[in-house]
Amino acid sequence: MAHDEVFAGPMSESVPSSITSFAHRRSRADSTASFTYLQESEEPLSTPEEEAVLDDEEEDEEFHADDNDQDYSDPSVDLEAGELSPLRRKSSAFSRASVEHPLLDRLDSSASSIHGRGGRLSQKIYLHTEDLTIVIAGFTTNPIGYAIYIALCVATAGLGYLLFRWLPRWRVRLVGRATGLREASWTVIENQWGEFTIHNVNRERYDRVLSTVFGAPGKLQRMQDYDEDDDPVLRYLRFLDYRYIRFCFHPLKDKFILNNSWKDPNWTDVKTIRVGIDSDEKSNRELVFGQNQIDIEQKTIPQLLVDEAFHPFYIFQLASLILWSLDQYYYYAVCIFTISLVSITTTLIETRATMRRLREISRFECDVRVKRSGFWRNVASTELVPGDIYEVSDPSLGQFPCDSLLLSGDCIVNESMLTGESVPVSKIPAGDEALEKVDLSASSILPEVAKHFLFCGTKIIRARRPHDNDDEEAVALAMVLRTGFNTTKGALVRSMLFPKPSGFKFYRDSFRYISVMAGIAMLGFVASFINFVRLEVSRSLPNPRKMTDTV
């Protein structure tokens, strides 16, 4: 039942909307979209319009993507049991219902809050880097509903499968059981454009403190009596991937949180972080952030064939083929079959070629010199994780494999891939003040940090070693900040893979025209049927071929 959406080729061209510090970002419009699976409270908001950015006192109910202010509890609290810390704020705001009529009714009209028996049933997230609002709802598979689904598919010889494939919300209602996000085995994600996808929730053994996943506990860190006991251990890491964006479940906040803005609380001193990380820390961070590669998952040829052949248009063509064959119009049936086969084959070839080209453009892998456990070693760029220290002045390194911060030496880079500007840009090493200003959750990089920031995919024109004789390392060093699809290049690729849907008036008018013609055809059919009954026309009409032979 639960499955992840796999990219099947770009739908249309789109101007990148999530390129950090290089793209103009329009302000978020007032949201009037109604979400199917959002469980909202009956308590009205004090403001008339839904806010795009929440205050610190209101951020618990609608998560903003740059949420770095975490609340942690005492380690005696059982995270897996769902016990909440006494320091956690109470809910103060809920998302307002749509000002327009709802598109679909809610899952449970009797629910008066977004919290159910297993905790929060759904949550609303605004991704400011994508300018996208999504709702995540938790589900588990209902055995009885799943058995009914299988029985319907078998009893109708596959027609039920087609119907539920075209109407996935019906399938979710039949097979799924609404469950708290804490216990959900799969989730339904819906955005403001009405796009609907199903994703599995992964669960891995972790046994690390919360700050290694969600960052430093900001509020408790400002308290003078803060100690390590305020950062409890996370036994299991639960996460899901949506459009190559990873969301990790926070057991105290009882919701999924974006992890692309994570910053190590130890990143305070440049000299200290130049030591790098050890192998154990690398394995843990790779589990949280994934591998450093922009690898687009591709559908196989059978999957593409099924998606194309099961389109309603080709199902209609198949029904027409059977109808004309029963009426002995074999030549016309063969023409329909040939045209449909050529159309499906051409679409598969074009989609496969487009996917291959896009994957070749986005995928990059090279060898880098990394400092691990105090020793330099050559590793593949896919093994880099946030916090790694690697050599920039390596002659074999032609472009940056990830978003990094220059710590020593200087560079001249070509950022035309992002900006379109052919003028090279100089980069200088960062100091403690610039390191403190690094904010990975912001929609743009501060000018004070941009001159030290090395963007993924930009080409290295020149990299020089530091001229300071007191420097222990006689090489240019950089620290990894973001990897994979969390980088600037990854955001650019995502904007091409998932462009915003654009509705054309021609399409709307075409559907209106088809609807009008279908109505006229239905009226003609009813009138002809009544006339045939009145004239007592025989049900079995003579074969046109026999009539021709007789003549």
Side-chain angles (χ1 to χ4, degrees):
M1 168 59 199
H3 66 279
D4 292 337
E5 288 294 319
V6 181
F7 172 64
M11 294 177 287
S12 63
E13 294 183 357
S14 173
V15 177
S17 61
S18 55
I19 305 305
T20 308
S21 79
F22 292 111
H24 173 70
R25 194 167 309 282
R26 66 179 180 85
S27 58
R28 181 191 181 196
D30 295 336
S31 175
T32 59
S34 179
F35 295 92
T36 307
Y37 301 104
L38 178 62
Q39 302 291 330
E40 296 177 319
S41 172
E42 295 178 350
E43 299 179 9
L45 280 177
S46 58
T47 56
E49 297 180 351
E50 182 186 39
E51 297 293 338
V53 181
L54 301 180
D55 295 332
D56 290 340
E57 293 79 7
E58 298 176 346
E59 65 184 354
D60 263 40
E61 282 307 315
E62 187 183 33
F63 167 67
H64 193 274
D66 54 336
D67 180 10
N68 283 331
D69 227 4
Q70 313 295 340
D71 291 330
Y72 297 153
S73 67
D74 188 81
S76 61
V77 177
D78 187 0
L79 301 184
E80 299 300 324
E83 300 178 10
L84 300 181
S85 166
L87 296 176
R88 184 186 180 195
R89 296 189 306 272
K90 298 297 183 180
S91 302
S92 59
F94 294 88
S95 300
R96 186 176 65 91
S98 172
V99 297
E100 303 291 342
H101 62 279
L103 301 179
L104 291 174
D105 55 343
R106 305 300 178 194
L107 281 179
D108 186 5
S109 58
S110 63
S112 60
S113 73
I114 62 175
H115 292 81
R117 182 178 179 182
R120 186 191 299 262
L121 297 177
S122 62
Q123 68 174 112
K124 188 176 181 181
I125 302 178
Y126 175 62
L127 307 176
H128 69 286
T129 57
E130 309 293 323
D131 194 17
L132 182 69
T133 302
I134 64 174
V135 166
I136 303 177
F139 287 89
T140 55
T141 302
N142 184 0
I144 299 177
Y146 187 73
I148 296 175
Y149 168 74
I150 296 296
L152 289 175
C153 294
V154 174
T156 58
L159 294 180
Y161 170 77
L162 290 177
L163 180 63
F164 286 117
R165 181 183 178 89
W166 296 337
L167 301 172
R169 286 176 174 80
W170 291 15
R171 183 175 59 180
V172 169
R173 290 192 178 189
L174 178 61
V175 177
R177 178 191 294 126
T179 311
L181 297 176
R182 183 183 304 276
E183 302 174 354
S185 60
W186 50 278
T187 60
V188 171
I189 300 182
E190 182 184 15
N191 59 24
Q192 76 259 36
W193 314 115
E195 296 173 343
F196 180 94
T197 54
I198 299 173
H199 300 268
N200 287 324
V201 178
N202 302 299
R203 187 171 183 263
E204 298 287 347
R205 185 79 180 185
Y206 192 61
D207 290 329
R208 302 275 294 176
V209 294
L210 278 175
S211 61
T212 59
V213 180
F214 305 104
K219 293 186 177 181
L220 293 179
Q221 194 175 29
R222 292 193 293 264
M223 303 171 70
Q224 295 181 358
D225 57 348
Y226 170 76
D227 54 30
E228 295 181 356
D229 292 337
D230 295 312
D231 196 5
V233 175
L234 182 64
R235 299 299 179 188
Y236 291 94
L237 178 65
R238 302 177 70 249
F239 61 91
L240 61 89
D241 295 321
Y242 171 71
R243 292 188 173 185
Y244 300 104
I245 302 175
R246 176 160 295 186
F247 296 88
C248 296
F249 183 77
H250 197 302
L252 298 183
K253 290 183 175 294
D254 194 25
K255 61 184 179 182
F256 286 95
I257 292 180
L258 199 65
N259 78 334
N260 64 351
S261 59
W262 178 84
K263 182 179 179 181
D264 195 328
N266 296 323
W267 293 351
T268 56
D269 182 40
V270 173
K271 293 183 178 180
T272 303
I273 62 178
R274 290 175 61 173
V275 178
I277 60 177
D278 55 22
S279 299
D280 293 337
E281 186 67 23
K282 179 262 178 185
S283 300
N284 294 325
R285 294 188 181 184
E286 189 174 49
L287 178 62
V288 176
F289 303 101
Q291 288 190 330
N292 178 36
Q293 58 180 353
I294 304 176
D295 190 12
I296 301 173
E297 188 176 0
Q298 299 185 17
K299 287 185 177 181
T300 61
I301 293 180
Q303 289 176 329
L304 292 175
L305 181 61
V306 168
D307 290 343
E308 190 69 20
F310 285 172
H311 192 275
F313 172 77
Y314 292 109
I315 297 299
F316 172 78
Q317 293 291 76
L318 178 62
S320 300
L321 188 149
I322 296 175
L323 179 63
W324 290 116
S325 298
L326 293 177
D327 208 16
Q328 298 182 3
Y329 281 90
Y330 298 115
Y331 293 111
Y332 191 63
V334 170
C335 290
I336 293 177
F337 176 77
T338 304
I339 294 174
S340 300
L341 182 61
V342 172
S343 176
I344 292 176
T345 304
T346 304
T347 303
L348 288 181
I349 294 175
E350 292 179 353
T351 302
R352 189 73 176 177
T354 302
M355 293 168 58
R356 186 181 299 109
R357 289 196 302 267
L358 189 56
R359 188 180 187 186
E360 292 175 355
I361 293 174
S362 59
R363 185 180 177 89
F364 173 76
E365 184 176 352
C366 65
D367 292 332
V368 294
R369 292 189 69 239
V370 179
K371 193 174 185 180
R372 292 263 175 83
S373 302
F375 298 95
W376 287 97
R377 63 185 68 178
N378 290 325
V379 299
S381 59
T382 56
E383 298 182 13
L384 293 176
V385 295
D388 265 330
I389 303 298
Y390 70 98
E391 181 184 352
V392 178
S393 55
D394 188 357
S396 61
L397 189 63
Q399 63 176 319
F400 297 109
C402 55
D403 283 351
S404 314
L405 189 70
L406 187 62
L407 302 180
S408 64
D410 59 88
C411 298
I412 298 178
V413 300
N414 181 5
E415 296 181 345
S416 60
M417 183 198 73
L418 302 176
T419 63
E421 296 288 343
S422 59
V423 180
V425 180
S426 299
K427 302 292 182 178
I428 59 177
D432 295 342
E433 183 178 355
L435 183 62
E436 183 180 358
K437 293 182 179 179
V438 172
D439 185 8
L440 301 179
S441 64
S443 58
S444 62
I445 302 299
L446 296 175
E448 296 84 357
V449 181
K451 57 186 177 181
H452 318 294
F453 204 92
L454 308 176
F455 294 96
C456 177
T458 55
K459 296 183 179 180
I460 303 174
I461 298 179
R462 187 190 69 183
R464 295 191 304 181
R465 301 176 179 181
H467 300 288
D468 189 2
N469 295 329
D470 297 333
D471 199 324
E472 298 179 359
E473 303 287 349
V475 294
L477 301 178
M479 182 182 67
V480 179
L481 295 180
R482 294 183 295 205
T483 59
F485 278 94
N486 292 333
T487 62
T488 307
K489 180 182 177 181
L492 175 61
V493 174
R494 278 203 313 270
S495 66
M496 294 186 290
L497 294 178
F498 309 103
K500 295 181 181 179
S502 55
F504 295 97
K505 188 177 180 181
F506 173 76
Y507 293 151
R508 295 195 299 268
D509 293 343
S510 298
F511 283 109
R512 292 173 183 172
Y513 172 77
I514 294 174
S515 301
V516 172
M517 296 302 295
I520 295 175
M522 184 60 65
L523 292 177
F525 171 78
V526 172
S528 299
F529 181 79
I530 295 174
N531 194 29
F532 289 161
V533 172
R534 185 175 61 84
L535 296 177
E536 298 181 354
V537 178
S538 176
R539 294 182 180 179
S540 58
L541 296 177
N543 194 325
R545 182 176 300 176
K546 293 181 178 180
M547 294 178 61
T548 304
D549 295 340
T550 302
V551 174

